[in-house]
């Protein structure tokens, strides 16, 4: 990764907001890297299901290959659309692998990662982060700009503390 770069992690459901946040946050002289990761777990699952149904000696084309090619094509289309929306030069980085680990690896040497909440966005709290995003936020080797892809929920969406919540001594 280019030192001081801004990595923009793009996912299908939130990329518009992430690109807009990156455009506002990235310094004019920073290198912007648009990142999309194709999750190899999906392709492996299709390969496994196909092999399990038809056996190892199959004569037909394995649909796992088609799924992988379609995912890579969709990722390239996503990066092109994001690049157009960003409105400034950006490097494209398409990776295959375990999403959370590839995003962390892409951030090595970067100054900033821009990403979006992808869990339960109906209320404030830790469940607003999906498992991959939680891993990335916990392990990113750079600053993280974590955005709400739409309007953040009201403070009233925070659940009350449990009834057995410990009180401060003397209070």
């Amino acid at each position: 990764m280019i030192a001081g770069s801004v990595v923009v992690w793009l996912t299908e459901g939130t990329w518009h907001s992430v690109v807009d946040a990156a455009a506002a946050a990235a310094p004019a002289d920073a290198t912007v890297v648009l990142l999309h990761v194709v999750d190899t777990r999906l392709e492996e699952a299709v390969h496994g299901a196909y092999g399990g149904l038809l056996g190892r000696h199959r004569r037909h084309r394995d649909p796992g290959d088609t799924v992988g090619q379609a995912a890579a094509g969709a990722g390239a289309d996503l990066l092109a659309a994001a690049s157009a929306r960003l409105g400034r030069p950006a490097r494209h980085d398409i990776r295959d692998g375990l999403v959370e680990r590839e995003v962390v690896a892409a951030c090595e040497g970067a100054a900033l990662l821009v990403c979006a909440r992808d869990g339960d966005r109906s209320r404030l709290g830790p469940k607003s982060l999906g498992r991959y995003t939680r891993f990335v936020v916990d392990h990113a080797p750079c600053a993280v700009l974590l955005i709400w892809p739409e309007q953040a929920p009201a403070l009233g969406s925070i659940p009350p503390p449990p009834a057995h919540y410990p009180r401060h001594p003397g209070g």
Side-chain angles (χ1 to χ4, degrees):
M1 191 54 52
I2 299 168
S5 61
V6 175
V7 177
V8 184
W9 178 21
L10 305 173
T11 61
E12 285 78 8
T14 60
W15 71 270
H16 293 92
S17 299
V18 174
V19 169
D20 293 347
D29 62 341
T31 299
V32 176
V33 179
L34 299 175
L35 171 69
H36 180 70
V37 181
V38 177
D39 193 345
T40 55
R41 287 174 277 224
L42 174 62
E43 189 175 340
E44 290 168 5
V46 174
H47 281 303
Y50 183 72
L53 290 171
L54 298 177
R56 291 185 354 219
H57 303 289
R58 44 191 180 246
R59 293 185 181 153
H60 303 287
R61 185 169 178 199
D62 187 336
D65 298 333
T66 304
V67 168
Q69 291 166 357
D77 292 345
L78 178 66
L79 290 176
S83 193
R85 186 176 183 101
L86 183 64
R88 67 185 263 189
R91 275 191 40 223
H92 292 186
D93 188 358
I94 297 179
R95 294 175 178 231
D96 295 326
L98 301 177
V99 174
E100 65 279 16
R101 295 193 178 268
E102 291 296 330
V103 173
V104 170
C107 292
E108 184 176 11
L112 178 66
L113 168 66
V114 183
C115 60
R117 294 175 184 271
D118 60 349
D120 177 5
R121 298 191 305 256
S122 67
R123 66 175 119 196
L124 300 172
K127 293 190 185 219
S128 66
L129 298 180
R131 67 180 188 190
Y132 300 157
T133 305
R134 167 57 60 198
F135 184 94
V136 169
V137 167
D138 289 344
H139 296 87
C142 62
V144 177
L145 174 57
L146 178 63
I147 66 154
W148 287 93
E150 59 274 323
Q151 183 68 34
L155 287 177
S157 68
I158 299 174
H164 64 279
Y165 191 75
R167 297 188 182 265
H168 187 276

